Amino acid sequence: VWDAFDSLSPVTMPQWGRTGQKSLDKFHAVWNGPDLDYDFDHANTLEIVPGVGHLVSLKNLDMLVMMDERFRQVLWTVGAGEGNTFRTAGSSIFYQQHHAPYLGSNRLLLVDSGVETTRILELSLDPQAGTAAVARDFRADPPLYAPTRGSAFLVDGGKSLVAFYVGRDNTRQPTASRI
């Protein structure tokens, strides 16, 4: 069994993504207080990647983590924080992501819940540069914000099937789009 605290220390990691810093601040407040029921990392997706390992999406840290097949070692991480193997910057930064399938050939697809607008990102990882660049970016028209749920799947012909759930707090109903 893998425990995020075995690999990711809320005390020693110097920087997290935007949401991750809020999670870290909350963690420190909770750790020193009476309420110990706080979801520090909020792992919301686990994908088995045959021959590589296990891709874990940590929503509250704005981070994706590829673990080895035995869950003993972090192979790489993707996110905005300085300690990540693949650093995001500019348009490749994502927040509170959902459903992040590994597409092979150093490519990922994910639902970026964003700050006010949700989008689907396909990221291309560059092992030499240690960066994650945007290969494709899809936003609904009109824009929508789906803070809690969403999925993106690669389908025939290189297209993606995308589903957003916007719930009661938005004027639109659950939406599915194809890009």
mmCIF file of all heavy atoms in Angstrom, residues 123-153:
data_model
loop_
_atom_site.group_PDB
_atom_site.id
_atom_site.type_symbol
_atom_site.label_atom_id
_atom_site.label_comp_id
_atom_site.label_asym_id
_atom_site.label_seq_id
_atom_site.Cartn_x
_atom_site.Cartn_y
_atom_site.Cartn_z
ATOM 1 N N LEU A 123 -0.953 17.166 -22.417
ATOM 2 C CA LEU A 123 0.400 17.624 -22.143
ATOM 3 C C LEU A 123 1.419 16.696 -22.782
ATOM 4 O O LEU A 123 1.250 15.473 -22.778
ATOM 5 C CB LEU A 123 0.657 17.682 -20.637
ATOM 6 C CG LEU A 123 -0.163 18.684 -19.834
ATOM 7 C CD1 LEU A 123 0.144 18.552 -18.351
ATOM 8 C CD2 LEU A 123 0.094 20.105 -20.312
ATOM 9 N N SER A 124 2.474 17.287 -23.296
ATOM 10 C CA SER A 124 3.599 16.548 -23.839
ATOM 11 C C SER A 124 4.776 16.749 -22.892
ATOM 12 O O SER A 124 5.162 17.884 -22.609
ATOM 13 C CB SER A 124 3.938 17.093 -25.235
ATOM 14 O OG SER A 124 5.076 16.439 -25.744
ATOM 15 N N LEU A 125 5.310 15.647 -22.366
ATOM 16 C CA LEU A 125 6.413 15.711 -21.413
ATOM 17 C C LEU A 125 7.746 15.626 -22.139
ATOM 18 O O LEU A 125 7.939 14.760 -22.997
ATOM 19 C CB LEU A 125 6.299 14.564 -20.406
ATOM 20 C CG LEU A 125 4.954 14.422 -19.700
ATOM 21 C CD1 LEU A 125 4.983 13.214 -18.770
ATOM 22 C CD2 LEU A 125 4.585 15.681 -18.954
ATOM 23 N N ASP A 126 8.664 16.522 -21.800
ATOM 24 C CA ASP A 126 9.998 16.541 -22.399
ATOM 25 C C ASP A 126 11.016 16.139 -21.334
ATOM 26 O O ASP A 126 11.382 16.954 -20.481
ATOM 27 C CB ASP A 126 10.311 17.939 -22.933
ATOM 28 C CG ASP A 126 11.666 18.026 -23.619
ATOM 29 O OD1 ASP A 126 12.547 17.175 -23.359
ATOM 30 O OD2 ASP A 126 11.849 18.960 -24.408
ATOM 31 N N PRO A 127 11.471 14.869 -21.372
ATOM 32 C CA PRO A 127 12.404 14.399 -20.344
ATOM 33 C C PRO A 127 13.725 15.174 -20.300
ATOM 34 O O PRO A 127 14.289 15.374 -19.232
ATOM 35 C CB PRO A 127 12.658 12.934 -20.720
ATOM 36 C CG PRO A 127 11.495 12.554 -21.562
ATOM 37 C CD PRO A 127 11.088 13.800 -22.289
ATOM 38 N N GLN A 128 14.228 15.628 -21.453
ATOM 39 C CA GLN A 128 15.495 16.358 -21.466
ATOM 40 C C GLN A 128 15.352 17.734 -20.809
ATOM 41 O O GLN A 128 16.201 18.150 -20.031
ATOM 42 C CB GLN A 128 16.030 16.530 -22.899
ATOM 43 C CG GLN A 128 16.708 15.290 -23.442
ATOM 44 C CD GLN A 128 15.727 14.179 -23.784
ATOM 45 O OE1 GLN A 128 14.587 14.432 -24.155
ATOM 46 N NE2 GLN A 128 16.167 12.939 -23.637
ATOM 47 N N ALA A 129 14.292 18.456 -21.127
ATOM 48 C CA ALA A 129 14.096 19.806 -20.591
ATOM 49 C C ALA A 129 13.428 19.790 -19.215
ATOM 50 O O ALA A 129 13.477 20.777 -18.492
ATOM 51 C CB ALA A 129 13.261 20.645 -21.561
ATOM 52 N N GLY A 130 12.759 18.670 -18.863
ATOM 53 C CA GLY A 130 12.037 18.605 -17.590
ATOM 54 C C GLY A 130 10.803 19.481 -17.588
ATOM 55 O O GLY A 130 10.442 20.041 -16.560
ATOM 56 N N THR A 131 10.149 19.596 -18.744
ATOM 57 C CA THR A 131 8.970 20.463 -18.851
ATOM 58 C C THR A 131 7.765 19.685 -19.368
ATOM 59 O O THR A 131 7.894 18.619 -19.957
ATOM 60 C CB THR A 131 9.235 21.646 -19.807
ATOM 61 O OG1 THR A 131 9.598 21.124 -21.092
ATOM 62 C CG2 THR A 131 10.336 22.546 -19.269
ATOM 63 N N ALA A 132 6.600 20.266 -19.142
ATOM 64 C CA ALA A 132 5.336 19.757 -19.673
ATOM 65 C C ALA A 132 4.729 20.883 -20.507
ATOM 66 O O ALA A 132 4.452 21.959 -19.988
ATOM 67 C CB ALA A 132 4.397 19.359 -18.548
ATOM 68 N N ALA A 133 4.553 20.647 -21.793
ATOM 69 C CA ALA A 133 4.023 21.665 -22.701
ATOM 70 C C ALA A 133 2.628 21.264 -23.169
ATOM 71 O O ALA A 133 2.296 20.079 -23.246
ATOM 72 C CB ALA A 133 4.947 21.827 -23.899
ATOM 73 N N VAL A 134 1.826 22.248 -23.517
ATOM 74 C CA VAL A 134 0.473 22.000 -24.005
ATOM 75 C C VAL A 134 0.534 21.496 -25.448
ATOM 76 O O VAL A 134 1.082 22.169 -26.325
ATOM 77 C CB VAL A 134 -0.391 23.287 -23.943
ATOM 78 C CG1 VAL A 134 -1.752 23.044 -24.574
ATOM 79 C CG2 VAL A 134 -0.538 23.751 -22.508
ATOM 80 N N ALA A 135 -0.006 20.295 -25.679
ATOM 81 C CA ALA A 135 -0.131 19.763 -27.034
ATOM 82 C C ALA A 135 -1.501 20.134 -27.597
ATOM 83 O O ALA A 135 -1.624 20.485 -28.772
ATOM 84 C CB ALA A 135 0.055 18.255 -27.037
ATOM 85 N N ARG A 136 -2.541 20.057 -26.747
ATOM 86 C CA ARG A 136 -3.895 20.478 -27.126
ATOM 87 C C ARG A 136 -4.575 21.054 -25.898
ATOM 88 O O ARG A 136 -4.318 20.643 -24.773
ATOM 89 C CB ARG A 136 -4.734 19.302 -27.635
ATOM 90 C CG ARG A 136 -4.319 18.814 -28.981
ATOM 91 C CD ARG A 136 -5.360 17.917 -29.620
ATOM 92 N NE ARG A 136 -5.642 16.733 -28.805
ATOM 93 C CZ ARG A 136 -6.643 15.903 -29.043
ATOM 94 N NH1 ARG A 136 -7.470 16.124 -30.030
ATOM 95 N NH2 ARG A 136 -6.831 14.850 -28.285
ATOM 96 N N ASP A 137 -5.491 21.983 -26.135
ATOM 97 C CA ASP A 137 -6.227 22.669 -25.065
ATOM 98 C C ASP A 137 -7.659 22.837 -25.555
ATOM 99 O O ASP A 137 -7.878 23.394 -26.635
ATOM 100 C CB ASP A 137 -5.556 24.033 -24.827
ATOM 101 C CG ASP A 137 -6.222 24.865 -23.749
ATOM 102 O OD1 ASP A 137 -7.446 24.765 -23.545
ATOM 103 O OD2 ASP A 137 -5.504 25.649 -23.126
ATOM 104 N N PHE A 138 -8.621 22.302 -24.823
ATOM 105 C CA PHE A 138 -10.030 22.424 -25.208
ATOM 106 C C PHE A 138 -10.805 23.100 -24.095
ATOM 107 O O PHE A 138 -10.699 22.715 -22.929
ATOM 108 C CB PHE A 138 -10.639 21.047 -25.488
ATOM 109 C CG PHE A 138 -12.124 21.085 -25.644
ATOM 110 C CD1 PHE A 138 -12.703 21.531 -26.824
ATOM 111 C CD2 PHE A 138 -12.954 20.684 -24.605
ATOM 112 C CE1 PHE A 138 -14.081 21.580 -26.957
ATOM 113 C CE2 PHE A 138 -14.331 20.727 -24.738
ATOM 114 C CZ PHE A 138 -14.896 21.170 -25.917
ATOM 115 N N ARG A 139 -11.593 24.110 -24.464
ATOM 116 C CA ARG A 139 -12.489 24.793 -23.535
ATOM 117 C C ARG A 139 -13.878 24.813 -24.153
ATOM 118 O O ARG A 139 -14.015 25.057 -25.357
ATOM 119 C CB ARG A 139 -12.027 26.221 -23.279
ATOM 120 C CG ARG A 139 -10.667 26.300 -22.629
ATOM 121 C CD ARG A 139 -10.118 27.713 -22.699
ATOM 122 N NE ARG A 139 -8.687 27.702 -22.480
ATOM 123 C CZ ARG A 139 -8.101 28.110 -21.368
ATOM 124 N NH1 ARG A 139 -8.818 28.559 -20.372
ATOM 125 N NH2 ARG A 139 -6.810 28.066 -21.261
ATOM 126 N N ALA A 140 -14.882 24.554 -23.350
ATOM 127 C CA ALA A 140 -16.261 24.566 -23.846
ATOM 128 C C ALA A 140 -16.642 25.982 -24.268
ATOM 129 O O ALA A 140 -16.118 26.965 -23.750
ATOM 130 C CB ALA A 140 -17.211 24.060 -22.767
ATOM 131 N N ASP A 141 -17.569 26.078 -25.203
ATOM 132 C CA ASP A 141 -18.082 27.369 -25.661
ATOM 133 C C ASP A 141 -19.600 27.332 -25.580
ATOM 134 O O ASP A 141 -20.233 26.607 -26.331
ATOM 135 C CB ASP A 141 -17.619 27.625 -27.091
ATOM 136 C CG ASP A 141 -18.040 28.998 -27.597
ATOM 137 O OD1 ASP A 141 -18.336 29.877 -26.765
ATOM 138 O OD2 ASP A 141 -18.069 29.173 -28.828
ATOM 139 N N PRO A 142 -20.187 28.090 -24.643
ATOM 140 C CA PRO A 142 -19.566 29.053 -23.753
ATOM 141 C C PRO A 142 -18.773 28.343 -22.644
ATOM 142 O O PRO A 142 -19.016 27.178 -22.359
ATOM 143 C CB PRO A 142 -20.746 29.826 -23.163
ATOM 144 C CG PRO A 142 -21.893 28.890 -23.239
ATOM 145 C CD PRO A 142 -21.644 28.028 -24.455
ATOM 146 N N PRO A 143 -17.815 29.074 -22.026
ATOM 147 C CA PRO A 143 -16.984 28.477 -20.983
ATOM 148 C C PRO A 143 -17.818 27.955 -19.816
ATOM 149 O O PRO A 143 -18.881 28.492 -19.511
ATOM 150 C CB PRO A 143 -16.100 29.633 -20.516
ATOM 151 C CG PRO A 143 -16.138 30.625 -21.618
ATOM 152 C CD PRO A 143 -17.490 30.468 -22.262
ATOM 153 N N LEU A 144 -17.326 26.915 -19.176
ATOM 154 C CA LEU A 144 -17.991 26.399 -17.985
ATOM 155 C C LEU A 144 -16.959 26.088 -16.925
ATOM 156 O O LEU A 144 -15.781 25.968 -17.201
ATOM 157 C CB LEU A 144 -18.862 25.182 -18.309
ATOM 158 C CG LEU A 144 -18.204 23.956 -18.926
ATOM 159 C CD1 LEU A 144 -17.612 23.056 -17.868
ATOM 160 C CD2 LEU A 144 -19.218 23.192 -19.735
ATOM 161 N N TYR A 145 -17.431 25.965 -15.706
ATOM 162 C CA TYR A 145 -16.563 25.660 -14.571
ATOM 163 C C TYR A 145 -17.085 24.389 -13.909
ATOM 164 O O TYR A 145 -18.218 24.343 -13.442
ATOM 165 C CB TYR A 145 -16.557 26.819 -13.578
ATOM 166 C CG TYR A 145 -15.674 26.579 -12.373
ATOM 167 C CD1 TYR A 145 -14.350 26.205 -12.506
ATOM 168 C CD2 TYR A 145 -16.183 26.739 -11.088
ATOM 169 C CE1 TYR A 145 -13.554 25.999 -11.402
ATOM 170 C CE2 TYR A 145 -15.385 26.537 -9.971
ATOM 171 C CZ TYR A 145 -14.068 26.165 -10.147
ATOM 172 O OH TYR A 145 -13.274 25.956 -9.049
ATOM 173 N N ALA A 146 -16.276 23.353 -13.919
ATOM 174 C CA ALA A 146 -16.633 22.062 -13.338
ATOM 175 C C ALA A 146 -15.604 21.739 -12.254
ATOM 176 O O ALA A 146 -14.624 21.056 -12.508
ATOM 177 C CB ALA A 146 -16.650 20.988 -14.417
ATOM 178 N N PRO A 147 -15.806 22.259 -11.040
ATOM 179 C CA PRO A 147 -14.783 22.138 -9.999
ATOM 180 C C PRO A 147 -14.617 20.750 -9.402
ATOM 181 O O PRO A 147 -13.586 20.473 -8.797
ATOM 182 C CB PRO A 147 -15.256 23.122 -8.934
ATOM 183 C CG PRO A 147 -16.732 23.162 -9.106
ATOM 184 C CD PRO A 147 -16.963 23.012 -10.581
ATOM 185 N N THR A 148 -15.603 19.873 -9.553
ATOM 186 C CA THR A 148 -15.517 18.613 -8.827
ATOM 187 C C THR A 148 -15.449 17.354 -9.678
ATOM 188 O O THR A 148 -15.013 16.328 -9.185
ATOM 189 C CB THR A 148 -16.697 18.455 -7.857
ATOM 190 O OG1 THR A 148 -17.913 18.438 -8.613
ATOM 191 C CG2 THR A 148 -16.718 19.564 -6.833
ATOM 192 N N ARG A 149 -15.877 17.385 -10.929
ATOM 193 C CA ARG A 149 -15.902 16.152 -11.716
ATOM 194 C C ARG A 149 -15.644 16.425 -13.187
ATOM 195 O O ARG A 149 -15.992 17.470 -13.698
ATOM 196 C CB ARG A 149 -17.261 15.462 -11.581
ATOM 197 C CG ARG A 149 -17.549 15.030 -10.186
ATOM 198 C CD ARG A 149 -18.924 14.394 -10.082
ATOM 199 N NE ARG A 149 -19.290 14.398 -8.687
ATOM 200 C CZ ARG A 149 -20.365 14.983 -8.204
ATOM 201 N NH1 ARG A 149 -21.197 15.604 -8.999
ATOM 202 N NH2 ARG A 149 -20.622 14.937 -6.922
ATOM 203 N N GLY A 150 -15.072 15.433 -13.847
ATOM 204 C CA GLY A 150 -14.849 15.517 -15.281
ATOM 205 C C GLY A 150 -13.997 14.353 -15.728
ATOM 206 O O GLY A 150 -13.239 13.785 -14.952
ATOM 207 N N SER A 151 -14.136 13.993 -16.989
ATOM 208 C CA SER A 151 -13.360 12.895 -17.559
ATOM 209 C C SER A 151 -12.997 13.223 -18.992
ATOM 210 O O SER A 151 -13.709 13.947 -19.677
ATOM 211 C CB SER A 151 -14.163 11.588 -17.543
ATOM 212 O OG SER A 151 -14.438 11.186 -16.233
ATOM 213 N N ALA A 152 -11.897 12.658 -19.443
ATOM 214 C CA ALA A 152 -11.462 12.811 -20.828
ATOM 215 C C ALA A 152 -10.859 11.480 -21.269
ATOM 216 O O ALA A 152 -10.042 10.903 -20.556
ATOM 217 C CB ALA A 152 -10.438 13.930 -20.949
ATOM 218 N N PHE A 153 -11.292 11.010 -22.427
ATOM 219 C CA PHE A 153 -10.832 9.732 -22.953
ATOM 220 C C PHE A 153 -10.374 9.901 -24.388
ATOM 221 O O PHE A 153 -11.010 10.615 -25.157
ATOM 222 C CB PHE A 153 -11.965 8.690 -22.947
ATOM 223 C CG PHE A 153 -12.510 8.402 -21.594
ATOM 224 C CD1 PHE A 153 -13.590 9.119 -21.096
ATOM 225 C CD2 PHE A 153 -11.958 7.405 -20.802
ATOM 226 C CE1 PHE A 153 -14.103 8.863 -19.838
ATOM 227 C CE2 PHE A 153 -12.467 7.134 -19.541
ATOM 228 C CZ PHE A 153 -13.545 7.866 -19.061
#
